[in-house]
Amino acid sequence: MNLLTLSQLNPTQRLALLRLATTLASSATSNPLLTTARKRLAHRSIALLFFENSTRTRASFETAAAQLALHPLALDISTSSTAKGESFADTIRTIAALDPAAIILRHADANAAHIAASHSTAPIINAGTGTKAHPTQALLDAATIATHALPRLNLPAADPDQPFQHLRIAITGDIARSRVARSLIRLLPSLGAELSLVGPPGFLPDRFALLGFPIHRSINDALTTPDSPPHILYALRVQHERASHADDNAATDAFISTCAIRRETLDKLAPNALIMHPGPVNWGVELDAALANDTRSLILHQVAMGVPTRTAVILAATGLADLNTQSQSRPTT
Ligand code: NCD
């Protein structure tokens, strides 16, 4: 199966993927599902087509592939036939003809994953497309919250189908240009979390109010919401490389002065409040550099959670884990 956007997964499948990721995170490489998968996938490759830069996503997909005994067929786009003018469709058809277990794709075009799926005989896994979707980042963030945040927050018991019930998350940053934000907005409320969005109008245009989440124009407003301050502040990178705002520098200055997270910001919250960021961080812009080694930061846990989450996604994409039953950690036959 393809994983193009989270909207293609129903609530049962989302929960199954989250549970598989957290199970793999706790059982590491000894999970019996991995042993079965390694036998089935041995001697096969998995293609990594990164038309855009990446550190965390690519490194964690490669590590996940290694855990599944898959050879990472990592095409260097700058020296590939793309540089000779080969079309995207032909590149996908060519790689698919080599019969990889899946094709992992990152691309600046928001529709690239859907276009690739229409040309590929191998499953397509979206590793970030344009400003539209980054489903595996949202899933690994949810797995990080389940594994590392909920045990520290002492929230009231949640409905098992809504594991993030009672959890409040404020997302701050360049929301308009963020594919991570779009995937988080789709996933976290479906798991029961209450979201609020924070940013100056340049980063969070008024139209975002239509989504129905509270909107704050400053981080202080978000923190002083009566009786309901967020438990997690999720910061997003200022993305100058994407389609530019008319007045990017002014929007960035407005963001830094009103919506960035400083140590004092965090100190105003409950002592167990946490910060997250998908990386790469612009220290001193989204987050105070003083927070780099703060124990309230889950950023490196997010990086580490990339591996079991992407392993879970590869298992689902290759048909080795069934997301339609709650007992998804059993191998399919
Ligand atoms: C994000 C991305 O590339 O979409 N990073 C990531 O995958 N860890 C976010 C970003 O680049 O700001």
Side-chain angles (χ1 to χ4, degrees):
M1 91 179 203
N2 297 313
L3 180 62
L4 307 179
T5 70
L6 291 167
S7 55
Q8 75 180 75
L9 300 178
N10 65 33
T12 304
Q13 293 169 322
R14 290 176 190 195
L15 266 180
L17 208 40
L18 176 61
R19 290 190 181 132
L20 180 54
T22 54
T23 303
L24 291 174
S26 60
S27 58
T29 52
S30 62
N31 190 292
L33 184 56
L34 293 186
T35 315
T36 311
R38 279 187 208 114
K39 284 190 195 130
R40 301 255 189 104
L41 297 173
H43 312 298
R44 296 199 63 192
S45 60
I46 188 159
L48 291 115
L49 303 191
F50 278 69
F51 288 83
E52 258 194 2
N53 295 351
S54 171
T55 297
R56 295 153 191 78
T57 305
R58 181 173 160 163
S60 57
F61 264 119
E62 281 200 35
T63 308
Q67 293 197 351
L68 292 169
L70 282 162
H71 168 72
L73 195 172
L75 195 70
D76 176 357
I77 300 299
S78 67
T79 58
S80 74
S81 293
T82 296
K84 297 180 188 169
E86 183 165 61
S87 72
F88 178 65
D90 274 341
T91 302
I92 297 295
R93 281 196 287 259
T94 300
I95 296 296
L98 298 171
D99 194 29
I103 296 176
I104 299 160
L105 177 73
R106 169 167 287 198
H107 203 286
D109 181 342
N111 297 316
H114 287 84
I115 296 169
S118 71
H119 292 288
S120 178
T121 45
I124 300 291
I125 299 174
N126 185 343
T129 41
T131 58
K132 186 175 178 182
H134 196 350
T136 64
Q137 178 69 43
L139 285 165
L140 77 86
D141 289 334
T144 304
I145 291 169
T147 305
H148 296 286
L150 294 184
R152 286 163 71 165
L153 289 170
N154 302 317
L155 300 177
D159 174 344
D161 290 338
Q162 298 268 292
F164 294 176
Q165 206 181 13
H166 313 297
L167 177 67
R168 294 185 294 271
I169 304 174
I171 301 180
T172 179
D174 194 355
I175 292 172
R177 290 186 284 192
S178 174
R179 56 192 175 208
V180 176
R182 281 181 181 73
S183 288
L184 288 173
I185 285 170
R186 215 170 257 294
L187 182 64
L188 297 177
S190 74
L191 297 172
E194 280 175 43
L195 283 194
S196 57
L197 306 178
V198 188
F203 284 1
L204 181 60
D206 286 339
R207 64 186 150 84
F208 277 80
L210 297 174
L211 294 171
F213 306 113
I215 281 194
H216 301 286
R217 294 295 179 205
S218 80
I219 195 80
N220 278 336
D221 278 2
L223 302 192
T224 51
T225 306
D227 305 326
S228 55
H231 304 102
I232 297 176
L233 299 179
Y234 192 111
L236 294 164
R237 186 171 65 89
V238 176
Q239 296 165 83
H240 294 294
E241 82 277 16
R242 299 216 192 291
S244 63
H245 297 306
D247 194 355
D248 208 24
N249 290 338
T252 305
D253 289 346
F255 168 75
I256 293 174
S257 62
T258 56
C259 300
I261 300 173
R262 304 187 195 293
R263 196 159 56 184
E264 310 83 80
T265 321
L266 207 51
D267 290 342
K268 285 187 198 154
L269 282 173
N272 52 3
L274 297 161
I275 47 171
M276 296 178 73
H277 190 301
V281 180
N282 295 306
W283 293 106
V285 179
E286 302 99 44
L287 298 175
D288 206 330
L291 292 169
N293 297 316
D294 198 291
T295 53
R296 293 168 292 183
S297 163
L298 297 182
I299 294 170
L300 293 178
H301 288 304
Q302 290 171 264
V303 174
M305 199 55 79
V307 177
T309 304
R310 288 170 172 136
T311 303
V313 166
I314 295 170
L315 288 171
T318 53
L320 292 169
D322 179 5
L323 301 182
N324 292 311
T325 64
Q326 291 300 313
S327 55
Q328 34 54 41
S329 50
R330 275 207 311 263
T332 54
T333 49

Short mmCIF file of all heavy atoms in Angstrom, two decimals, residues 52-86:
data_model
loop_
_atom_site.label_atom_id
_atom_site.label_comp_id
_atom_site.label_asym_id
_atom_site.label_seq_id
_atom_site.Cartn_x
_atom_site.Cartn_y
_atom_site.Cartn_z
N GLU A 52 14.89 16.64 -2.40
CA GLU A 52 15.11 17.79 -1.52
C GLU A 52 16.03 17.35 -0.41
O GLU A 52 16.10 16.17 -0.08
CB GLU A 52 13.78 18.19 -0.85
CG GLU A 52 13.10 19.37 -1.43
CD GLU A 52 12.00 19.88 -0.47
OE1 GLU A 52 11.81 19.34 0.63
OE2 GLU A 52 11.34 20.83 -0.86
N ASN A 53 16.70 18.31 0.22
CA ASN A 53 17.65 17.98 1.29
C ASN A 53 16.97 17.31 2.47
O ASN A 53 15.80 17.54 2.75
CB ASN A 53 18.32 19.27 1.79
CG ASN A 53 19.17 19.90 0.72
OD1 ASN A 53 19.39 19.31 -0.32
ND2 ASN A 53 19.63 21.11 0.98
N SER A 54 17.77 16.54 3.18
CA SER A 54 17.25 15.87 4.38
C SER A 54 18.41 15.34 5.21
O SER A 54 19.40 14.88 4.64
CB SER A 54 16.37 14.69 3.95
OG SER A 54 16.02 13.90 5.06
N THR A 55 18.27 15.39 6.50
CA THR A 55 19.22 14.70 7.39
C THR A 55 18.46 13.63 8.16
O THR A 55 18.69 12.43 8.01
CB THR A 55 19.88 15.69 8.37
OG1 THR A 55 20.64 16.63 7.61
CG2 THR A 55 20.80 14.97 9.36
N ARG A 56 17.51 14.07 9.00
CA ARG A 56 16.82 13.14 9.90
C ARG A 56 15.98 12.11 9.17
O ARG A 56 16.03 10.91 9.49
CB ARG A 56 15.91 13.93 10.86
CG ARG A 56 16.67 14.82 11.78
CD ARG A 56 15.82 16.03 12.20
NE ARG A 56 16.65 16.98 12.87
CZ ARG A 56 17.48 17.81 12.23
NH1 ARG A 56 17.55 17.84 10.91
NH2 ARG A 56 18.23 18.65 12.91
N THR A 57 15.17 12.60 8.23
CA THR A 57 14.22 11.70 7.57
C THR A 57 14.97 10.63 6.79
O THR A 57 14.71 9.43 6.90
CB THR A 57 13.29 12.51 6.64
OG1 THR A 57 12.67 13.53 7.43
CG2 THR A 57 12.23 11.63 6.01
N ARG A 58 15.97 11.08 6.04
CA ARG A 58 16.71 10.12 5.22
C ARG A 58 17.50 9.14 6.10
O ARG A 58 17.49 7.94 5.88
CB ARG A 58 17.63 10.87 4.27
CG ARG A 58 18.38 9.93 3.41
CD ARG A 58 19.16 10.63 2.35
NE ARG A 58 20.16 9.70 1.90
CZ ARG A 58 20.84 9.82 0.78
NH1 ARG A 58 20.61 10.86 0.01
NH2 ARG A 58 21.74 8.94 0.45
N ALA A 59 18.19 9.69 7.11
CA ALA A 59 19.02 8.82 7.96
C ALA A 59 18.15 7.81 8.71
O ALA A 59 18.54 6.64 8.88
CB ALA A 59 19.82 9.67 8.94
N SER A 60 16.97 8.22 9.15
CA SER A 60 16.15 7.27 9.91
C SER A 60 15.48 6.25 8.99
O SER A 60 15.32 5.09 9.36
CB SER A 60 15.14 7.98 10.82
OG SER A 60 14.32 8.81 10.08
N PHE A 61 15.13 6.65 7.76
CA PHE A 61 14.61 5.65 6.81
C PHE A 61 15.70 4.64 6.48
O PHE A 61 15.44 3.43 6.38
CB PHE A 61 14.10 6.32 5.53
CG PHE A 61 12.62 6.58 5.51
CD1 PHE A 61 12.11 7.87 5.40
CD2 PHE A 61 11.70 5.53 5.59
CE1 PHE A 61 10.75 8.11 5.38
CE2 PHE A 61 10.33 5.76 5.56
CZ PHE A 61 9.85 7.05 5.45
N GLU A 62 16.94 5.10 6.30
CA GLU A 62 18.03 4.16 5.98
C GLU A 62 18.28 3.21 7.15
O GLU A 62 18.54 2.03 6.96
CB GLU A 62 19.33 4.91 5.65
CG GLU A 62 19.31 5.46 4.25
CD GLU A 62 20.70 5.78 3.71
OE1 GLU A 62 21.67 5.07 4.04
OE2 GLU A 62 20.81 6.78 2.96
N THR A 63 18.20 3.74 8.37
CA THR A 63 18.40 2.89 9.55
C THR A 63 17.27 1.88 9.67
O THR A 63 17.49 0.70 9.97
CB THR A 63 18.50 3.76 10.82
OG1 THR A 63 19.47 4.77 10.58
CG2 THR A 63 18.90 2.96 12.03
N ALA A 64 16.04 2.34 9.40
CA ALA A 64 14.88 1.43 9.44
C ALA A 64 15.07 0.33 8.38
O ALA A 64 14.82 -0.85 8.64
CB ALA A 64 13.60 2.20 9.18
N ALA A 65 15.54 0.72 7.20
CA ALA A 65 15.75 -0.27 6.13
C ALA A 65 16.78 -1.30 6.58
O ALA A 65 16.60 -2.51 6.38
CB ALA A 65 16.22 0.43 4.86
N ALA A 66 17.85 -0.84 7.24
CA ALA A 66 18.89 -1.77 7.71
C ALA A 66 18.29 -2.77 8.71
O ALA A 66 18.63 -3.95 8.69
CB ALA A 66 20.04 -0.99 8.33
N GLN A 67 17.39 -2.28 9.58
CA GLN A 67 16.79 -3.19 10.57
C GLN A 67 15.92 -4.25 9.90
O GLN A 67 15.63 -5.28 10.49
CB GLN A 67 15.95 -2.39 11.56
CG GLN A 67 16.84 -1.51 12.42
CD GLN A 67 16.15 -1.02 13.66
OE1 GLN A 67 14.94 -1.20 13.82
NE2 GLN A 67 16.90 -0.38 14.53
N LEU A 68 15.47 -3.96 8.68
CA LEU A 68 14.63 -4.92 7.96
C LEU A 68 15.43 -5.70 6.92
O LEU A 68 14.85 -6.38 6.08
CB LEU A 68 13.47 -4.16 7.28
CG LEU A 68 12.46 -3.56 8.25
CD1 LEU A 68 11.52 -2.61 7.53
CD2 LEU A 68 11.67 -4.66 8.95
N ALA A 69 16.75 -5.59 6.98
CA ALA A 69 17.65 -6.28 6.04
C ALA A 69 17.41 -5.87 4.59
O ALA A 69 17.66 -6.62 3.66
CB ALA A 69 17.52 -7.80 6.19
N LEU A 70 16.91 -4.65 4.40
CA LEU A 70 16.69 -4.13 3.05
C LEU A 70 17.91 -3.34 2.61
O LEU A 70 18.47 -2.57 3.40
CB LEU A 70 15.48 -3.18 3.04
CG LEU A 70 14.11 -3.83 3.06
CD1 LEU A 70 13.05 -2.81 3.48
CD2 LEU A 70 13.78 -4.39 1.67
N HIS A 71 18.28 -3.49 1.35
CA HIS A 71 19.39 -2.68 0.83
C HIS A 71 18.87 -1.29 0.48
O HIS A 71 17.92 -1.16 -0.30
CB HIS A 71 19.97 -3.34 -0.42
CG HIS A 71 20.91 -2.43 -1.15
ND1 HIS A 71 22.16 -2.12 -0.67
CD2 HIS A 71 20.76 -1.73 -2.30
CE1 HIS A 71 22.75 -1.28 -1.50
NE2 HIS A 71 21.91 -1.02 -2.50
N PRO A 72 19.45 -0.22 1.06
CA PRO A 72 18.98 1.12 0.70
C PRO A 72 19.54 1.57 -0.65
O PRO A 72 20.74 1.80 -0.77
CB PRO A 72 19.50 2.00 1.84
CG PRO A 72 20.66 1.27 2.42
CD PRO A 72 20.52 -0.19 2.07
N LEU A 73 18.65 1.61 -1.63
CA LEU A 73 19.05 2.07 -2.97
C LEU A 73 18.84 3.59 -2.98
O LEU A 73 17.76 4.08 -3.30
CB LEU A 73 18.15 1.37 -3.99
CG LEU A 73 18.48 1.35 -5.46
CD1 LEU A 73 17.50 0.41 -6.18
CD2 LEU A 73 18.46 2.70 -6.11
N ALA A 74 19.89 4.29 -2.54
CA ALA A 74 19.75 5.74 -2.35
C ALA A 74 20.29 6.45 -3.59
O ALA A 74 21.50 6.52 -3.81
CB ALA A 74 20.52 6.18 -1.10
N LEU A 75 19.37 6.94 -4.40
CA LEU A 75 19.79 7.60 -5.65
C LEU A 75 20.27 9.02 -5.35
O LEU A 75 19.56 9.77 -4.67
CB LEU A 75 18.58 7.65 -6.59
CG LEU A 75 18.87 7.98 -8.04
CD1 LEU A 75 19.61 6.82 -8.71
CD2 LEU A 75 17.58 8.26 -8.79
N ASP A 76 21.47 9.34 -5.82
CA ASP A 76 21.95 10.72 -5.67
C ASP A 76 21.36 11.53 -6.83
O ASP A 76 21.79 11.39 -7.98
CB ASP A 76 23.49 10.72 -5.72
CG ASP A 76 24.06 12.13 -5.66
OD1 ASP A 76 23.27 13.10 -5.64
OD2 ASP A 76 25.29 12.25 -5.65
N ILE A 77 20.34 12.30 -6.53
CA ILE A 77 19.58 12.99 -7.59
C ILE A 77 20.50 13.90 -8.40
O ILE A 77 20.38 13.99 -9.63
CB ILE A 77 18.40 13.79 -6.99
CG1 ILE A 77 17.44 12.85 -6.23
CG2 ILE A 77 17.65 14.58 -8.08
CD1 ILE A 77 16.78 11.78 -7.05
N SER A 78 21.48 14.53 -7.74
CA SER A 78 22.33 15.50 -8.46
C SER A 78 23.20 14.82 -9.51
O SER A 78 23.60 15.46 -10.48
CB SER A 78 23.18 16.30 -7.47
OG SER A 78 24.12 15.44 -6.87
N THR A 79 23.51 13.52 -9.36
CA THR A 79 24.30 12.83 -10.37
C THR A 79 23.45 11.81 -11.14
O THR A 79 23.99 10.97 -11.87
CB THR A 79 25.51 12.09 -9.73
OG1 THR A 79 24.99 11.17 -8.76
CG2 THR A 79 26.46 13.06 -9.04
N SER A 80 22.15 11.85 -10.95
CA SER A 80 21.27 10.89 -11.65
C SER A 80 20.90 11.44 -13.02
O SER A 80 21.25 12.58 -13.37
CB SER A 80 19.99 10.67 -10.83
OG SER A 80 19.16 11.82 -10.96
N SER A 81 20.12 10.68 -13.77
CA SER A 81 19.72 11.14 -15.10
C SER A 81 18.73 12.29 -15.05
O SER A 81 18.42 12.89 -16.08
CB SER A 81 19.13 9.97 -15.90
OG SER A 81 20.14 9.04 -16.17
N THR A 82 18.26 12.62 -13.84
CA THR A 82 17.45 13.85 -13.69
C THR A 82 18.28 15.04 -14.19
O THR A 82 17.76 15.94 -14.84
CB THR A 82 17.06 14.04 -12.20
OG1 THR A 82 16.23 12.95 -11.82
CG2 THR A 82 16.31 15.35 -11.97
N ALA A 83 19.60 14.98 -13.91
CA ALA A 83 20.49 16.07 -14.34
C ALA A 83 20.62 16.10 -15.87
O ALA A 83 21.07 17.10 -16.44
CB ALA A 83 21.86 15.91 -13.69
N LYS A 84 20.26 15.00 -16.55
CA LYS A 84 20.30 14.99 -18.03
C LYS A 84 18.94 15.34 -18.60
O LYS A 84 18.71 15.19 -19.80
CB LYS A 84 20.68 13.59 -18.53
CG LYS A 84 22.05 13.12 -18.12
CD LYS A 84 22.27 11.71 -18.72
CE LYS A 84 23.54 11.10 -18.18
NZ LYS A 84 23.62 9.67 -18.54
N GLY A 85 18.00 15.66 -17.71
CA GLY A 85 16.68 16.07 -18.19
C GLY A 85 15.64 14.97 -18.16
O GLY A 85 14.54 15.13 -18.69
N GLU A 86 15.98 13.81 -17.57
CA GLU A 86 14.97 12.74 -17.50
C GLU A 86 13.78 13.23 -16.67
O GLU A 86 13.96 13.87 -15.64
CB GLU A 86 15.57 11.48 -16.88
CG GLU A 86 14.58 10.33 -16.85
CD GLU A 86 15.23 8.98 -16.57
OE1 GLU A 86 15.83 8.82 -15.48
OE2 GLU A 86 15.15 8.09 -17.44
#
